[in-house]
Amino acid sequence: MKVSQLFGRTSKTEGIDYKIPSHRMLTQAGYIRESTAGRYYLLPLGLNVHDKIIDVVRKHMNAASAQEVVMPVLHPLELWQETNRTTTTGFELMKVTDRRNAEFALGGTAEEMAVDLVRKFNISYKDLPFNIYQFSMKFRDEMRARGGLLRVREFVMKDAYSFSNEAQFKEIYQKMWDAYKAIFEELGLKADVVAADNGYIGGEYCHEFVVESEQGESRYFIDETSGYAAHEDVATFKVDDKNLDEAMHDMEEVDAVRGTTMEDGVKFHNLPLWQQTKDVLFFDEATKRYILAIIRGDFDVNETKLMQAAGAWELRPATEEEVRDDLGSEPGFISPIGMVKKGNKSGHDVVIVGDKSLRTVRNMYGGANKKHRDILNINIDRDYKPDIEADIALAQPGFMSPDGGKLVEKKGIEVGNIFQLGYHYSNLMHDAEYTDETGKRQKYYMGCYGIGIGRTMAAIVEAHHDDKGIIWPDTLAPYTVYVARIGEAEAVMKAADELYEALQAAGVSVLYDDRVEARAGEKFADADLLGIPYRVVVSDRTIKSNQYEVKKRTETDAQMLDKDNVIKVVAGVK
RNA sequence: CGGGGUGUGGCGCAGUUGGCUAGCGCGCCGCGUUUGGGACGCGGAGGUCGAAGGUUCGAGUCCUUUCACCCCGACCA
């Protein structure tokens, strides 16, 4: 390709105010162009790389015996109603109506479609297991698009859906895990595999593939000695026992003219923070219940874990008015003891969820549901009993991992994930069944597996760039060689043209900077910005010796080679 | 959706307490001089000042409404 003919061009100023390197460089180098917030044009260079990433993903999916299909982008809305996801998805579903008034959802993920497709075939155990996948545009009406390709409203996703029985599933999940490791490794990314929350997708467990990056939005913890890795939403840690050797004392209600913070309580009673109870009241809009979370004073409540434990969907903190008027308690002095759980003013029940850390402390202290009154020597079981006991504590850097090492906090870009879905969808959708060996109908046991192609592209740039521009891994670069022709002397033009032809004849992909209007500095700057692995200069200087100047993007020194050796060096990387 | 901010040629911006023909740099087109790390001169094209309504003799500038975009939060590939 000749630069003079390439659609899209580099710019010194375009995108200069984009803060995130991949966003700025991909825009300035002419790989992408924004349409409106979160929707991008992929220009020829951008599509070139995007396609190469897809090729890598496809290769490994096929090797893991997944089979490629394409599903419609418009999903019949009935399917989403079947699984109740018209209301429970984290992203706002985008809907369209056709001329017959049939309603469709713009696909944001395709579990329902996959199930609907498979059940049309009335399959039996002989068909299992199998895994079908596609590359297709996904639509998500994100609250806020951000960071160029990192978080957008339309993007190509590779999404795969596996169907099996329960016994077969582990192997499929492992296969996808291994395929993902191989994919990201081939793409030049070091991905951590992190346990995470299933969220609106459903199922019981899942893993995210996260590339460590300052620009990432995922926070996760790693125990570097054991390899334990978990998203902050689900990370667990070892809780130390505090004063379990102490005898239980009698409960006592006392005056407590103090402020409403935890520190106020510590100061007033002159007792450790960990001995205080932290009582946090939430309201779940989905199930219309109050949820009272109780935890040891030195820990915080993890809302994701709390939602899982309580079966809640739309948690929000309760307001001060609700605490007072509905529950007859007092902000800052909430307590499970004496809490009216049923038949309170609002008619909404209260569910008490206790963290397991409450069993590591004796004789705790906390509010008495009355202003300026506290209770001392509170002990679980004797004085109150949570409706649900679970781990609802938020992990913090430095805490001890379940394996005994230290938890280190990291930030990263989530480029892919794998979900166990189990019977989640086959329970919700009718006829999601196969016939087993005995002729009985059994539900599909499912998994799903996603990779965002554009986000992966951005993650690669985040991982591979310098202050001059992108540094593509050799196999992903849109072109292997950038031929920079300097000057317009007849002999130079001829030599450059010949080199361009010769490289192409040798099967090397070349971007030939034949612009007469651009000067040397501009061409060098563009070669660096574009991130092409090799730059070959043809100029007065080089043709004098009948040689060419060859420089790798990753190196500072160039070498002089004759044409055959240029081709030899460069042909090795295509 | 909550909080903060910005909308003026393709990009980056200036435009004072309302005032005359809306400017500058980059980029783009033409001619010339240049030619190894983003040159220079001369000439040129390109603008419903985000949109709608209002105040006024007069609005880029003031008022109202609205839309878009950016940054911070909750969500995700």
Side-chain angles (χ1 to χ4, degrees):
Chain A
M1 172 58 71
K2 293 181 175 175
V3 172
S4 63
Q5 288 162 11
L6 180 66
F7 178 72
R9 67 167 155 266
T10 59
S11 165
K12 276 193 286 187
T13 54
E14 211 116 32
I16 202 91
D17 63 329
Y18 297 142
K19 311 249 174 319
I20 291 167
S22 61
H23 188 193
R24 189 180 68 242
M25 289 174 183
L26 288 169
T27 302
Q28 277 188 253
Y31 285 87
I32 60 172
R33 190 63 188 244
E34 191 175 60
S35 161
T36 58
R39 303 181 199 281
Y40 282 85
Y41 295 97
L42 277 182
L43 305 181
L45 286 173
L47 184 62
N48 184 315
V49 177
H50 197 262
D51 280 346
K52 287 187 165 117
I53 294 170
I54 286 178
D55 288 344
V56 171
V57 174
R58 177 180 285 129
K59 183 177 85 183
H60 289 282
M61 290 303 290
N62 290 345
S65 44
Q67 301 177 62
E68 189 171 353
V69 299
V70 173
M71 304 185 198
V73 163
L74 297 190
H75 300 178
L77 202 61
E78 302 94 85
L79 290 180
W80 288 73
Q81 282 156 351
E82 220 179 314
T83 55
N84 253 322
R85 287 213 293 180
T86 46
T87 49
T88 57
T89 48
F91 56 92
E92 196 67 30
L93 211 53
M94 303 186 75
K95 291 174 197 166
V96 289
T97 307
D98 72 7
R99 69 171 84 198
R100 290 168 202 78
N101 274 323
E103 285 186 290
F104 297 90
L106 278 173
T109 171
E111 287 78 12
E112 288 86 351
M113 292 294 281
V115 170
D116 188 52
L117 170 63
V118 171
R119 70 185 173 187
K120 287 178 195 292
F121 287 88
N122 197 11
I123 60 170
S124 83
Y125 73 96
K126 293 180 191 168
D127 298 302
L128 300 180
F130 63 88
N131 191 351
I132 52 177
Y133 76 99
Q134 64 172 341
F135 294 94
S136 79
M137 198 57 89
K138 296 294 180 289
F139 299 84
R140 299 197 177 170
D141 199 1
E142 294 285 347
M143 304 286 193
R144 185 159 84 85
R146 170 188 169 269
L149 296 185
L150 284 179
R151 180 185 203 71
V152 296
R153 297 198 168 104
E154 280 186 41
F155 62 99
V156 172
M157 178 163 80
K158 185 284 299 173
D159 46 326
Y161 306 89
S162 71
F163 295 80
S164 66
N165 64 36
E166 191 162 353
Q168 295 164 330
F169 180 71
K170 264 212 166 100
E171 193 187 326
I172 301 176
Y173 195 77
Q174 188 60 46
K175 253 189 179 172
M176 283 295 105
W177 180 309
D178 295 340
Y180 273 38
K181 295 257 353 154
I183 287 167
F184 293 119
E185 194 182 316
E186 184 164 343
L187 293 175
L189 293 173
K190 198 189 149 292
D192 288 319
V193 188
V194 172
D197 179 62
N198 287 53
Y200 65 82
I201 304 275
E204 292 138 44
Y205 58 89
C206 72
H207 290 87
E208 295 182 351
F209 287 70
V210 183
V211 177
E212 194 179 349
S213 165
E214 261 311 293
Q215 308 303 337
E217 296 181 278
S218 283
R219 288 186 174 280
Y220 60 107
F221 290 99
I222 284 206
D223 172 349
E224 271 153 357
T225 54
S226 74
Y228 172 82
H231 192 96
E232 67 173 348
D233 289 346
V234 300
T236 58
F237 57 92
K238 274 196 174 156
V239 180
D240 51 329
D241 290 338
K242 288 297 187 186
N243 59 343
L244 292 182
D245 47 342
E246 211 170 278
M248 288 191 208
H249 303 308
D250 289 340
M251 236 185 1
E252 186 186 348
E253 190 175 315
V254 297
D255 276 328
V257 184
R258 59 167 174 86
T260 56
T261 67
M262 299 298 288
E263 293 74 48
D264 293 330
V266 169
K267 266 191 224 151
F268 183 83
H269 295 285
N270 197 24
L271 287 167
L273 179 63
W274 52 259
Q275 205 166 354
Q276 194 172 172
T277 60
K278 185 179 280 187
D279 304 80
V280 192
L281 191 69
F282 294 91
F283 186 75
D284 180 37
E285 292 286 358
T287 57
K288 300 291 176 198
R289 295 172 302 165
Y290 285 106
I291 295 177
L292 177 60
I294 313 174
I295 194 166
R296 208 172 86 184
D298 55 336
F299 294 142
D300 289 318
V301 174
N302 177 325
E303 290 188 31
T304 305
K305 287 185 184 177
L306 179 62
M307 285 199 276
Q308 287 281 1
W313 266 111
E314 283 179 79
L315 223 50
R316 62 162 174 82
T319 65
E320 296 202 355
E321 291 68 39
E322 287 170 328
V323 173
R324 281 198 192 97
D325 302 344
D326 288 359
L327 303 178
S329 184
E330 176 66 26
F333 295 86
I334 300 173
S335 170
I337 300 167
M339 172 69 65
V340 183
K341 298 208 297 185
K342 281 193 194 301
N344 60 56
K345 245 179 170 174
S346 66
H348 300 306
D349 292 349
V350 180
V351 179
I352 297 177
V353 183
D355 185 63
K356 60 181 189 190
S357 63
L358 296 170
R359 297 201 172 275
T360 63
V361 192
R362 286 273 160 83
N363 301 319
M364 301 185 79
Y365 64 101
N369 288 324
K370 289 170 233 165
K371 190 166 187 183
H372 295 163
R373 295 286 283 174
D374 277 352
I375 300 176
L376 304 181
N377 304 322
I378 307 167
N379 286 286
I380 191 165
D381 293 338
R382 186 191 72 177
D383 305 324
Y384 69 98
K385 183 105 188 83
D387 300 305
I388 298 166
E389 261 186 79
D391 168 17
I392 55 166
L394 188 68
Q396 300 285 356
F399 283 10
M400 194 189 282
S401 93
D403 303 329
K406 253 204 167 86
L407 288 179
V408 177
E409 189 179 31
K410 292 195 173 193
K411 246 166 88 175
I413 302 166
E414 182 190 343
V415 287
N417 61 16
I418 55 179
F419 286 88
Q420 175 266 16
L421 298 175
Y423 300 115
H424 185 84
Y425 287 88
S426 32
N427 279 335
L428 292 168
M429 297 179 74
H430 68 84
D431 294 325
E433 298 171 333
Y434 64 94
T435 310
D436 74 8
E437 296 87 327
T438 65
K440 273 206 216 103
R441 299 290 280 166
Q442 303 286 354
K443 306 218 179 247
Y444 310 148
Y445 196 90
M446 294 176 59
C448 73
Y449 319 88
I451 293 177
I453 305 299
R455 181 182 283 184
T456 298
M457 181 164 149
I460 292 165
V461 176
E462 291 299 337
H464 301 279
H465 71 265
D466 61 15
D467 56 338
K468 291 190 174 128
I470 302 167
I471 305 172
W472 291 114
D474 291 349
T475 51
L476 298 177
Y479 295 95
T480 303
V481 182
Y482 193 95
V483 172
R485 189 183 70 198
I486 310 293
E488 290 160 69
E490 191 112 344
V492 172
M493 305 264 259
K494 189 159 168 279
D497 285 352
E498 280 172 11
L499 179 68
Y500 176 51
E501 302 294 335
L503 284 168
Q504 286 189 313
V508 178
S509 71
V510 188
L511 188 58
Y512 174 23
D513 195 343
D514 59 332
R515 292 174 296 176
V516 292
E517 69 277 10
R519 293 151 49 98
E522 210 171 330
K523 294 189 179 189
F524 296 156
D526 278 351
D528 289 341
L529 177 61
L530 287 164
I532 310 296
Y534 283 93
R535 187 187 78 191
V536 179
V537 177
V538 186
S539 73
D540 271 335
R541 282 188 207 173
T542 66
I543 60 167
K544 251 178 228 158
S545 56
N546 205 22
Q547 288 187 316
Y548 305 89
E549 180 192 291
V550 180
K551 190 184 91 64
K552 281 204 83 168
R553 175 66 176 84
T554 49
E555 291 167 6
T556 46
D557 294 329
Q559 56 181 140
M560 297 297 288
L561 296 173
D562 63 27
K563 194 194 284 175
D564 287 347
N565 278 313
V566 171
I567 293 170
K568 212 183 278 173
V569 165
V570 138
V573 298
K574 58 177 164 176

